[in-house]
mmCIF file of all heavy atoms in Angstrom:
data_model
loop_
_atom_site.group_PDB
_atom_site.id
_atom_site.type_symbol
_atom_site.label_atom_id
_atom_site.label_comp_id
_atom_site.label_asym_id
_atom_site.label_seq_id
_atom_site.Cartn_x
_atom_site.Cartn_y
_atom_site.Cartn_z
ATOM 1 N N ASN A 201 64.150 -21.839 11.398
ATOM 2 C CA ASN A 201 62.922 -22.326 12.048
ATOM 3 C C ASN A 201 62.815 -21.882 13.505
ATOM 4 O O ASN A 201 62.416 -22.651 14.369
ATOM 5 C CB ASN A 201 62.818 -23.846 11.950
ATOM 6 C CG ASN A 201 62.675 -24.306 10.533
ATOM 7 O OD1 ASN A 201 62.008 -23.658 9.729
ATOM 8 N ND2 ASN A 201 63.319 -25.413 10.199
ATOM 9 N N VAL A 202 63.187 -20.638 13.753
ATOM 10 C CA VAL A 202 63.044 -20.067 15.093
ATOM 11 C C VAL A 202 61.843 -19.137 15.053
ATOM 12 O O VAL A 202 61.792 -18.208 14.248
ATOM 13 C CB VAL A 202 64.307 -19.277 15.502
ATOM 14 C CG1 VAL A 202 64.103 -18.591 16.839
ATOM 15 C CG2 VAL A 202 65.502 -20.202 15.555
ATOM 16 N N THR A 203 60.876 -19.408 15.905
ATOM 17 C CA THR A 203 59.714 -18.535 15.980
ATOM 18 C C THR A 203 59.738 -17.830 17.319
ATOM 19 O O THR A 203 60.011 -18.432 18.343
ATOM 20 C CB THR A 203 58.398 -19.324 15.846
ATOM 21 O OG1 THR A 203 58.346 -20.313 16.871
ATOM 22 C CG2 THR A 203 58.307 -19.990 14.496
ATOM 23 N N VAL A 204 59.492 -16.550 17.282
ATOM 24 C CA VAL A 204 59.464 -15.753 18.496
ATOM 25 C C VAL A 204 58.045 -15.238 18.648
ATOM 26 O O VAL A 204 57.533 -14.559 17.767
ATOM 27 C CB VAL A 204 60.468 -14.586 18.412
ATOM 28 C CG1 VAL A 204 60.428 -13.765 19.685
ATOM 29 C CG2 VAL A 204 61.854 -15.111 18.164
ATOM 30 N N LYS A 205 57.430 -15.573 19.739
ATOM 31 C CA LYS A 205 56.064 -15.145 19.989
ATOM 32 C C LYS A 205 56.065 -13.725 20.527
ATOM 33 O O LYS A 205 56.934 -13.351 21.309
ATOM 34 C CB LYS A 205 55.371 -16.071 20.985
ATOM 35 C CG LYS A 205 55.320 -17.512 20.535
ATOM 36 C CD LYS A 205 54.504 -17.644 19.280
ATOM 37 C CE LYS A 205 54.439 -19.092 18.838
ATOM 38 N NZ LYS A 205 53.880 -19.262 17.551
ATOM 39 N N LYS A 206 55.073 -12.966 20.126
ATOM 40 C CA LYS A 206 54.961 -11.605 20.622
ATOM 41 C C LYS A 206 54.468 -11.623 22.053
ATOM 42 O O LYS A 206 53.816 -12.558 22.498
ATOM 43 C CB LYS A 206 53.983 -10.810 19.763
ATOM 44 C CG LYS A 206 54.491 -10.556 18.380
ATOM 45 C CD LYS A 206 53.526 -9.686 17.635
ATOM 46 C CE LYS A 206 54.062 -9.391 16.255
ATOM 47 N NZ LYS A 206 53.148 -8.564 15.497
ATOM 48 N N LYS A 207 54.761 -10.562 22.756
ATOM 49 C CA LYS A 207 54.277 -10.433 24.126
ATOM 50 C C LYS A 207 52.758 -10.298 24.090
ATOM 51 O O LYS A 207 52.187 -9.814 23.119
ATOM 52 C CB LYS A 207 54.888 -9.213 24.787
ATOM 53 C CG LYS A 207 56.383 -9.305 24.941
ATOM 54 C CD LYS A 207 56.938 -8.030 25.518
ATOM 55 C CE LYS A 207 58.439 -8.080 25.539
ATOM 56 N NZ LYS A 207 59.013 -6.823 25.960
ATOM 57 N N ALA A 208 52.111 -10.685 25.165
ATOM 58 C CA ALA A 208 50.655 -10.661 25.200
ATOM 59 C C ALA A 208 50.107 -9.251 25.026
ATOM 60 O O ALA A 208 49.070 -9.048 24.427
ATOM 61 C CB ALA A 208 50.153 -11.276 26.499
ATOM 62 N N CYS A 209 50.782 -8.248 25.542
ATOM 63 C CA CYS A 209 50.297 -6.869 25.461
ATOM 64 C C CYS A 209 51.121 -6.059 24.475
ATOM 65 O O CYS A 209 51.324 -4.865 24.664
ATOM 66 C CB CYS A 209 50.338 -6.200 26.825
ATOM 67 S SG CYS A 209 49.042 -6.763 27.904
ATOM 68 N N ALA A 210 51.599 -6.686 23.436
ATOM 69 C CA ALA A 210 52.471 -5.979 22.505
ATOM 70 C C ALA A 210 51.750 -4.821 21.826
ATOM 71 O O ALA A 210 52.339 -3.808 21.530
ATOM 72 C CB ALA A 210 53.008 -6.942 21.466
ATOM 73 N N ARG A 211 50.454 -4.967 21.578
ATOM 74 C CA ARG A 211 49.721 -3.843 20.995
ATOM 75 C C ARG A 211 48.301 -3.852 21.537
ATOM 76 O O ARG A 211 47.786 -4.859 21.996
ATOM 77 C CB ARG A 211 49.738 -3.914 19.484
ATOM 78 C CG ARG A 211 48.967 -5.038 18.920
ATOM 79 C CD ARG A 211 49.136 -5.128 17.433
ATOM 80 N NE ARG A 211 48.582 -6.427 17.105
ATOM 81 C CZ ARG A 211 47.879 -6.689 16.055
ATOM 82 N NH1 ARG A 211 47.685 -5.773 15.165
ATOM 83 N NH2 ARG A 211 47.391 -7.867 15.857
ATOM 84 N N ARG A 212 47.670 -2.730 21.414
ATOM 85 C CA ARG A 212 46.317 -2.610 21.930
ATOM 86 C C ARG A 212 45.329 -3.311 21.019
ATOM 87 O O ARG A 212 45.545 -3.415 19.826
ATOM 88 C CB ARG A 212 45.952 -1.141 22.048
ATOM 89 C CG ARG A 212 46.745 -0.429 23.082
ATOM 90 C CD ARG A 212 46.329 1.006 23.131
ATOM 91 N NE ARG A 212 46.849 1.564 24.357
ATOM 92 C CZ ARG A 212 46.127 2.218 25.215
ATOM 93 N NH1 ARG A 212 44.859 2.422 24.998
ATOM 94 N NH2 ARG A 212 46.668 2.685 26.307
ATOM 95 N N SER A 213 44.260 -3.732 21.605
ATOM 96 C CA SER A 213 43.194 -4.347 20.841
ATOM 97 C C SER A 213 42.531 -3.299 19.956
ATOM 98 O O SER A 213 42.273 -2.183 20.393
ATOM 99 C CB SER A 213 42.160 -4.957 21.789
ATOM 100 O OG SER A 213 41.035 -5.389 21.053
ATOM 101 N N LYS A 214 42.253 -3.657 18.728
ATOM 102 C CA LYS A 214 41.569 -2.725 17.836
ATOM 103 C C LYS A 214 40.079 -2.657 18.161
ATOM 104 O O LYS A 214 39.410 -1.702 17.808
ATOM 105 C CB LYS A 214 41.744 -3.161 16.385
ATOM 106 C CG LYS A 214 43.152 -3.030 15.894
ATOM 107 C CD LYS A 214 43.248 -3.477 14.454
ATOM 108 C CE LYS A 214 44.669 -3.381 13.962
ATOM 109 N NZ LYS A 214 44.815 -3.831 12.594
ATOM 110 N N ASN A 215 39.582 -3.698 18.804
ATOM 111 C CA ASN A 215 38.135 -3.791 19.021
ATOM 112 C C ASN A 215 37.679 -3.253 20.370
ATOM 113 O O ASN A 215 36.523 -2.887 20.528
ATOM 114 C CB ASN A 215 37.692 -5.251 18.906
ATOM 115 C CG ASN A 215 37.981 -5.794 17.545
ATOM 116 O OD1 ASN A 215 38.054 -5.048 16.591
ATOM 117 N ND2 ASN A 215 38.181 -7.090 17.450
ATOM 118 N N GLY A 216 38.533 -3.255 21.345
ATOM 119 C CA GLY A 216 38.045 -2.826 22.652
ATOM 120 C C GLY A 216 39.170 -2.525 23.611
ATOM 121 O O GLY A 216 40.335 -2.730 23.320
ATOM 122 N N ARG A 217 38.795 -2.028 24.787
ATOM 123 C CA ARG A 217 39.786 -1.700 25.814
ATOM 124 C C ARG A 217 40.392 -2.981 26.360
ATOM 125 O O ARG A 217 39.752 -4.022 26.406
ATOM 126 C CB ARG A 217 39.110 -0.955 26.957
ATOM 127 C CG ARG A 217 38.436 0.313 26.554
ATOM 128 C CD ARG A 217 37.793 0.940 27.753
ATOM 129 N NE ARG A 217 36.939 -0.038 28.445
ATOM 130 C CZ ARG A 217 35.873 0.278 29.142
ATOM 131 N NH1 ARG A 217 35.527 1.531 29.261
ATOM 132 N NH2 ARG A 217 35.154 -0.635 29.737
ATOM 133 N N THR A 218 41.598 -2.861 26.787
ATOM 134 C CA THR A 218 42.229 -3.991 27.466
ATOM 135 C C THR A 218 42.748 -3.505 28.803
ATOM 136 O O THR A 218 42.996 -2.324 28.998
ATOM 137 C CB THR A 218 43.414 -4.563 26.654
ATOM 138 O OG1 THR A 218 44.351 -3.525 26.426
ATOM 139 C CG2 THR A 218 42.943 -5.139 25.340
ATOM 140 N N TRP A 219 42.907 -4.395 29.723
ATOM 141 C CA TRP A 219 43.470 -4.065 31.012
ATOM 142 C C TRP A 219 44.429 -5.166 31.389
ATOM 143 O O TRP A 219 44.302 -6.297 30.968
ATOM 144 C CB TRP A 219 42.392 -3.866 32.071
ATOM 145 C CG TRP A 219 41.500 -5.031 32.291
ATOM 146 C CD1 TRP A 219 40.442 -5.406 31.543
ATOM 147 C CD2 TRP A 219 41.603 -5.997 33.336
ATOM 148 N NE1 TRP A 219 39.861 -6.535 32.037
ATOM 149 C CE2 TRP A 219 40.560 -6.927 33.143
ATOM 150 C CE3 TRP A 219 42.461 -6.180 34.394
ATOM 151 C CZ2 TRP A 219 40.376 -8.021 33.966
ATOM 152 C CZ3 TRP A 219 42.262 -7.260 35.225
ATOM 153 C CH2 TRP A 219 41.224 -8.162 35.010
ATOM 154 N N ARG A 220 45.393 -4.809 32.186
ATOM 155 C CA ARG A 220 46.379 -5.790 32.605
ATOM 156 C C ARG A 220 45.868 -6.509 33.845
ATOM 157 O O ARG A 220 45.596 -5.892 34.860
ATOM 158 C CB ARG A 220 47.710 -5.126 32.936
ATOM 159 C CG ARG A 220 48.451 -4.660 31.726
ATOM 160 C CD ARG A 220 49.819 -4.152 32.156
ATOM 161 N NE ARG A 220 50.587 -3.732 31.023
ATOM 162 C CZ ARG A 220 51.443 -4.493 30.372
ATOM 163 N NH1 ARG A 220 51.629 -5.731 30.751
ATOM 164 N NH2 ARG A 220 52.108 -4.035 29.350
ATOM 165 N N GLY A 221 45.779 -7.799 33.733
ATOM 166 C CA GLY A 221 45.436 -8.603 34.890
ATOM 167 C C GLY A 221 46.691 -9.327 35.347
ATOM 168 O O GLY A 221 47.604 -9.540 34.575
ATOM 169 N N HIS A 222 46.768 -9.685 36.561
ATOM 170 C CA HIS A 222 47.939 -10.384 37.056
ATOM 171 C C HIS A 222 47.784 -11.861 36.759
ATOM 172 O O HIS A 222 46.713 -12.439 36.902
ATOM 173 C CB HIS A 222 48.092 -10.169 38.568
ATOM 174 C CG HIS A 222 48.364 -8.738 38.911
ATOM 175 N ND1 HIS A 222 49.590 -8.158 38.701
ATOM 176 C CD2 HIS A 222 47.561 -7.771 39.412
ATOM 177 C CE1 HIS A 222 49.532 -6.895 39.074
ATOM 178 N NE2 HIS A 222 48.308 -6.636 39.510
ATOM 179 N N GLY A 223 48.879 -12.470 36.348
ATOM 180 C CA GLY A 223 48.857 -13.905 36.110
ATOM 181 C C GLY A 223 48.720 -14.638 37.428
ATOM 182 O O GLY A 223 48.940 -14.083 38.502
ATOM 183 N N GLY A 224 48.376 -15.878 37.351
ATOM 184 C CA GLY A 224 48.211 -16.681 38.555
ATOM 185 C C GLY A 224 49.548 -16.972 39.212
ATOM 186 O O GLY A 224 50.591 -16.462 38.814
ATOM 187 N N ALA A 225 49.534 -17.824 40.218
ATOM 188 C CA ALA A 225 50.754 -18.163 40.929
ATOM 189 C C ALA A 225 51.751 -18.799 39.965
ATOM 190 O O ALA A 225 51.401 -19.641 39.146
ATOM 191 C CB ALA A 225 50.430 -19.129 42.066
ATOM 192 N N GLY A 226 52.984 -18.374 40.074
ATOM 193 C CA GLY A 226 54.028 -18.933 39.221
ATOM 194 C C GLY A 226 54.219 -18.179 37.921
ATOM 195 O O GLY A 226 55.113 -18.483 37.161
ATOM 196 N N PHE A 227 53.386 -17.186 37.619
ATOM 197 C CA PHE A 227 53.524 -16.414 36.392
ATOM 198 C C PHE A 227 54.280 -15.131 36.694
ATOM 199 O O PHE A 227 53.823 -14.316 37.487
ATOM 200 C CB PHE A 227 52.150 -16.068 35.801
ATOM 201 C CG PHE A 227 51.459 -17.255 35.217
ATOM 202 C CD1 PHE A 227 50.524 -17.963 35.950
ATOM 203 C CD2 PHE A 227 51.748 -17.663 33.931
ATOM 204 C CE1 PHE A 227 49.883 -19.051 35.422
ATOM 205 C CE2 PHE A 227 51.105 -18.755 33.389
ATOM 206 C CZ PHE A 227 50.176 -19.448 34.125
ATOM 207 N N ALA A 228 55.406 -14.954 36.022
ATOM 208 C CA ALA A 228 56.173 -13.735 36.234
ATOM 209 C C ALA A 228 55.646 -12.607 35.362
ATOM 210 O O ALA A 228 55.805 -11.447 35.672
ATOM 211 C CB ALA A 228 57.643 -13.991 35.932
ATOM 212 N N SER A 229 55.035 -12.965 34.238
ATOM 213 C CA SER A 229 54.558 -11.923 33.334
ATOM 214 C C SER A 229 53.095 -11.615 33.597
ATOM 215 O O SER A 229 52.386 -12.377 34.237
ATOM 216 C CB SER A 229 54.719 -12.381 31.890
ATOM 217 O OG SER A 229 53.896 -13.485 31.653
ATOM 218 N N LYS A 230 52.670 -10.482 33.089
ATOM 219 C CA LYS A 230 51.268 -10.109 33.224
ATOM 220 C C LYS A 230 50.544 -10.495 31.945
ATOM 221 O O LYS A 230 51.129 -10.571 30.880
ATOM 222 C CB LYS A 230 51.156 -8.617 33.471
ATOM 223 C CG LYS A 230 51.778 -8.215 34.787
ATOM 224 C CD LYS A 230 51.566 -6.764 35.056
ATOM 225 C CE LYS A 230 52.105 -6.414 36.416
ATOM 226 N NZ LYS A 230 51.850 -5.042 36.757
#
């Protein structure tokens, strides 16, 4: 019962362009 979530940018969107935005204060990941 261990679930591992994928990274937010693990793959490109099939429907449209994506861009990396910076997370707010306290977020180490994008």
Side-chain angles (χ1 to χ4, degrees):
N201 295 323
V202 175
T203 58
V204 180
K205 301 297 181 190
K206 292 184 178 179
K207 296 176 186 174
C209 285
R211 68 186 167 142
R212 293 180 165 231
S213 172
K214 292 180 181 179
N215 299 334
R217 301 179 308 209
T218 57
W219 58 280
R220 287 186 178 266
H222 295 285
F227 289 96
S229 65
K230 295 184 176 184

